Amino acid sequence: MPKILDSSSVSWSAIDLILHDGLKAYKPRNSKILSIQSQIHNKNKTGSIAVFRSKNAMSNASGFIITSKEALRDNALQLTHWTPNTYAFLSYDGQRKHIKGHTEANLNQINTFVADIDFKNAEDRDANLENVKDAIVIGGHILPTLILKTDKGYQVYYVLEKPAFLSKHKNGTIPVLTAARKIAENIKRSIQDKILATDVGCNNFGIFRIPREDNIIFFEPDLTCSFAGLLTWSQNYSKKTKNVKKLNLRVVSDQDRYRKQCDQAWFKIMLGKRNIVPGQGLGRHNTILTLALACYSSGKTEAETFDLLDEFNSALKVPLDFRDMQRCVLDAFSGNYKGAAKIYIDELIDTWGSYAEKRIVRQESQVKWYKYAKKRSERTYSHKHEWLQDVIDLVNRIGTGKDNVEISTRKIREELNISAASLNRVLKQAIKSNKLFIKKGKGRRPSKLATLAMALKALFKKNKQLKDQWLKYLKQHLELENIAFTEELSVFDMIRNGLDTDVGKRRLSTE
């Protein structure tokens, strides 16, 4: 009889937290817990997830469907991958070899956002752990709930305190899904700003590693995120990156502008793919249609396109039905389209491209600039956010391996060559935005400073009593989004004592 995952284990606690009530509690049939006479009922709405017993099975969409937590717990010890976000329904193909339906449009609720960081090998993964801890504090104030170690990297879960439910409007749009896509994209890009190995092309709500006792390296169930808070951060991040793009205007030559899509790197990369299977983002149908549209826009004839894509389809490990392939070519040449849309091109490369191939496509899209933002060294004044990052970097650097840093404002001014007035403004902004915690020293003792990155590192190694203190502090500072004002608590001894009057009170921010 196969072993069943202990319901009190850390891995099951993580799984249960992520799923919320997205699945039924018990098996609808053959339950070992629920009997006909029992008064316990499955009250929550039916949802489904896909699970897999190996990475190879995941790659071929050869898993099985689970609709209850009881069934998941019975099988969890044999699983390696899963879909942590719940779908309205899932099904199998005619031969029951592949799972169908795990597409974004079929999502029932979003439970978590996941970032995948993938290094070259296990040695690089281990050597970069401290850098990863710094990078995964989103926006300086959003902490992860769960971190899993993979063969060559890490998967970082930002679990929602309440699931985001999806519903389609009358016009066919799904606003929550649109917002969630942008949040997921911005989370990955903000981490990539610090860790290049971040996979920004992975499916936002696809298949990830399932929590197991042998891969969990960090789990704090109290550190969940609110969808509203993530949305506010994402909107601010988008504005920030948009402003940067506006400052960096591109010159596009006629040759670049009118270069045929068939001559571009993405087309050649996708044409060489053989492992495109159904059920993972944009599958075979969308791939062939996008390639056909590229041929159409590039001036190829319908016959040439058909021959090319017939050969491509035949070489796939799981080919598309011949009539469906033929219909893609006919649709492409129907006159209803101008060419392959960038959004589909990007999604195809994100789904099926390797890390190296994604870099090739990204580098190809980078062209010359004709207007540059002035370098900081060329400007007379620095922006406040630049000084703030300098202070945070200084505290993190000096406080390597520590919970806090004792440093005077005089020392900070000397290290950063910043004026007293500017530093005072920066420290106020740091506390207001939850990016820095300050406790003024008594007498001539210097102030104690701590960043959220230091708090995260402390949670990795603290004993239970001190860990509970950190969590209590973080919960009070990161989850009271509806309160206008709150008194600053000491991050170090959890008592109100000795705080600078300038930073004693602050307005809570959801940024």
Side-chain angles (χ1 to χ4, degrees):
M1 182 176 178
K3 293 183 178 179
I4 298 175
L5 182 63
D6 187 347
S7 60
S8 63
S9 66
V10 175
S11 56
W12 180 253
S13 297
I15 291 170
D16 192 43
L17 178 72
I18 293 167
L19 290 175
H20 297 288
D21 292 322
L23 303 181
K24 289 185 178 297
Y26 309 104
K27 297 177 183 177
R29 292 179 295 179
N30 304 320
S31 172
K32 299 173 184 176
I33 303 172
L34 184 64
S35 65
I36 297 175
Q37 294 79 21
S38 175
Q39 294 181 356
I40 305 173
H41 299 285
N42 287 313
K43 294 181 179 180
N44 57 300
K45 183 179 178 180
T46 301
S48 304
I49 61 171
V51 296
F52 307 87
R53 291 194 173 98
S54 68
K55 188 171 183 179
N56 184 56
M58 180 269 293
S59 299
N60 294 315
S62 300
F64 57 100
I65 300 165
I66 281 183
T67 60
S68 72
K69 289 186 178 180
E70 181 186 355
L72 181 58
R73 194 161 67 87
D74 288 349
N75 291 276
L77 291 176
Q78 288 77 47
L79 303 177
T80 60
H81 295 76
W82 70 329
T83 57
N85 296 294
T86 315
Y87 295 91
F89 61 89
L90 294 172
S91 60
Y92 298 99
D93 64 6
Q95 299 179 335
R96 292 186 65 85
K97 288 185 177 181
H98 305 289
I99 296 176
K100 300 192 301 181
H102 48 302
T103 60
E104 288 186 354
N106 190 34
L107 281 167
N108 190 42
Q109 66 185 53
I110 295 173
N111 302 315
T112 183
F113 295 93
V114 186
D116 186 16
I117 304 173
D118 197 18
F119 295 97
K120 293 180 180 179
N121 49 50
E123 290 74 18
D124 277 359
R125 174 200 65 195
D126 296 339
N128 281 282
L129 179 57
E130 292 303 311
N131 295 330
V132 169
K133 291 177 186 178
D134 287 330
I136 59 180
V137 180
I138 301 298
H141 69 283
I142 299 172
L143 293 167
T145 313
L146 173 72
I147 304 174
L148 306 181
K149 181 186 286 188
T150 65
D151 295 339
K152 297 187 292 182
Y154 304 95
Q155 290 190 351
V156 187
Y157 281 68
Y158 299 87
V159 181
L160 294 176
E161 60 186 6
K162 295 179 182 178
F165 296 97
L166 279 69
S167 60
K168 185 177 290 187
H169 283 200
K170 291 182 179 179
N171 61 5
T173 61
I174 309 176
V176 172
L177 179 58
T178 302
R181 282 195 194 113
K182 197 62 180 178
I183 291 172
E185 178 184 328
N186 283 341
I187 285 175
K188 291 182 288 187
R189 293 195 182 282
S190 69
I191 297 176
Q192 190 192 44
D193 290 342
K194 297 181 180 179
I195 300 289
L196 189 60
T198 306
D199 185 0
V200 296
C202 72
N203 194 319
N204 293 328
F205 309 107
I207 304 167
F208 299 97
R209 296 276 180 170
I210 191 170
R212 297 167 55 104
E213 298 299 311
D214 59 356
N215 68 6
I216 295 175
I217 63 172
F218 177 82
F219 175 55
E220 290 299 343
D222 289 322
L223 296 181
T224 53
C225 313
S226 74
F227 190 86
L230 285 171
L231 181 58
T232 301
W233 165 80
S234 178
Q235 290 169 337
N236 290 332
Y237 181 84
S238 293
K239 289 177 184 177
K240 177 183 175 183
T241 53
K242 187 176 181 180
N243 289 336
V244 171
K245 288 179 181 178
K246 283 183 177 179
L247 289 173
N248 295 316
L249 302 177
R250 291 185 292 181
V251 168
V252 183
S253 67
D254 289 341
Q255 181 180 357
D256 290 327
R257 181 178 297 169
Y258 299 109
R259 193 155 57 94
K260 294 178 180 180
Q261 288 188 321
C262 283
D263 295 333
Q264 295 172 9
W266 71 269
F267 184 88
K268 298 173 182 177
I269 289 170
M270 291 307 304
L271 205 59
K273 293 296 177 183
R274 299 292 178 263
N275 62 337
I276 300 174
V277 294
Q280 296 184 46
L282 297 184
R284 300 162 301 174
H285 184 279
N286 281 297
T287 300
I288 292 174
L289 178 58
T290 305
L291 291 172
L293 286 167
C295 291
Y296 171 73
S297 71
S298 301
K300 287 185 178 294
T301 67
E302 188 171 341
E304 289 173 335
T305 301
F306 180 84
D307 290 341
L308 178 67
L309 296 184
D310 183 32
E311 183 179 347
F312 165 76
N313 185 54
S314 299
L316 292 177
K317 292 180 179 179
V318 185
L320 188 65
D321 181 79
F322 177 80
R323 290 185 179 180
D324 290 335
M325 186 277 295
Q326 188 179 39
R327 172 58 59 185
C328 288
V329 177
L330 291 174
D331 287 345
F333 282 79
S334 65
N336 295 325
Y337 309 95
K338 292 183 179 179
K342 187 177 185 301
I343 187 172
Y344 285 97
I345 294 171
D346 292 343
E347 187 68 24
L348 285 174
I349 291 296
D350 285 348
T351 304
W352 304 109
S354 66
Y355 176 77
E357 288 167 341
K358 291 171 188 174
R359 290 192 69 176
I360 290 171
V361 174
R362 190 164 60 245
Q363 288 170 354
E364 184 186 60
S365 67
Q366 292 172 348
V367 292
K368 297 179 180 180
W369 311 103
Y370 72 78
K371 182 178 180 180
Y372 293 87
K374 282 188 177 181
K375 294 181 180 179
R376 189 178 178 186
S377 58
E378 298 174 357
R379 286 189 265 120
T380 304
Y381 303 102
S382 293
H383 299 301
K384 186 162 57 175
H385 72 269
E386 293 172 331
W387 284 125
L388 174 56
Q389 191 58 51
D390 287 343
V391 174
I392 291 173
D393 291 342
L394 176 64
V395 173
N396 281 328
R397 176 165 52 83
I398 297 176
T400 302
K402 301 177 182 178
D403 297 346
N404 63 84
V405 170
E406 285 193 358
I407 186 170
S408 66
T409 53
R410 179 180 178 181
K411 180 66 174 176
I412 296 175
R413 294 200 306 269
E414 291 175 353
E415 288 280 341
L416 302 180
N417 192 26
I418 182 175
S419 69
S422 295
L423 179 59
N424 190 42
R425 289 195 298 271
V426 168
L427 294 180
K428 287 181 181 179
Q429 177 63 26
I431 293 173
K432 181 180 178 181
S433 59
N434 286 324
K435 294 184 177 180
L436 197 64
F437 305 130
I438 302 174
K439 179 185 177 183
K440 186 177 180 181
K442 294 181 180 179
R444 295 187 175 181
R445 297 277 298 181
S447 298
K448 290 182 178 180
L449 283 73
T451 65
L452 269 181
M454 295 169 70
L456 178 63
K457 292 177 182 179
L459 290 174
F460 266 84
K461 60 183 181 180
K462 282 291 184 185
N463 61 45
K464 188 177 186 306
Q465 181 181 1
L466 292 178
K467 183 179 285 188
D468 288 344
Q469 289 180 337
W470 270 107
L471 289 171
K472 178 182 178 182
Y473 176 80
L474 291 171
K475 196 168 185 179
Q476 289 176 347
H477 281 75
L478 301 179
E479 296 184 3
L480 300 178
E481 295 177 354
N482 296 323
I483 297 179
F485 291 93
T486 187
E487 188 168 346
E488 180 76 10
L489 300 178
S490 168
V491 67
F492 309 109
D493 57 13
M494 304 303 151
I495 59 174
R496 298 182 180 95
N497 183 30
L499 286 172
D500 191 330
T501 55
D502 284 339
V503 296
K505 291 187 177 181
R506 63 176 174 80
R507 184 180 299 275
L508 281 175
S509 169
T510 56
E511 292 186 357

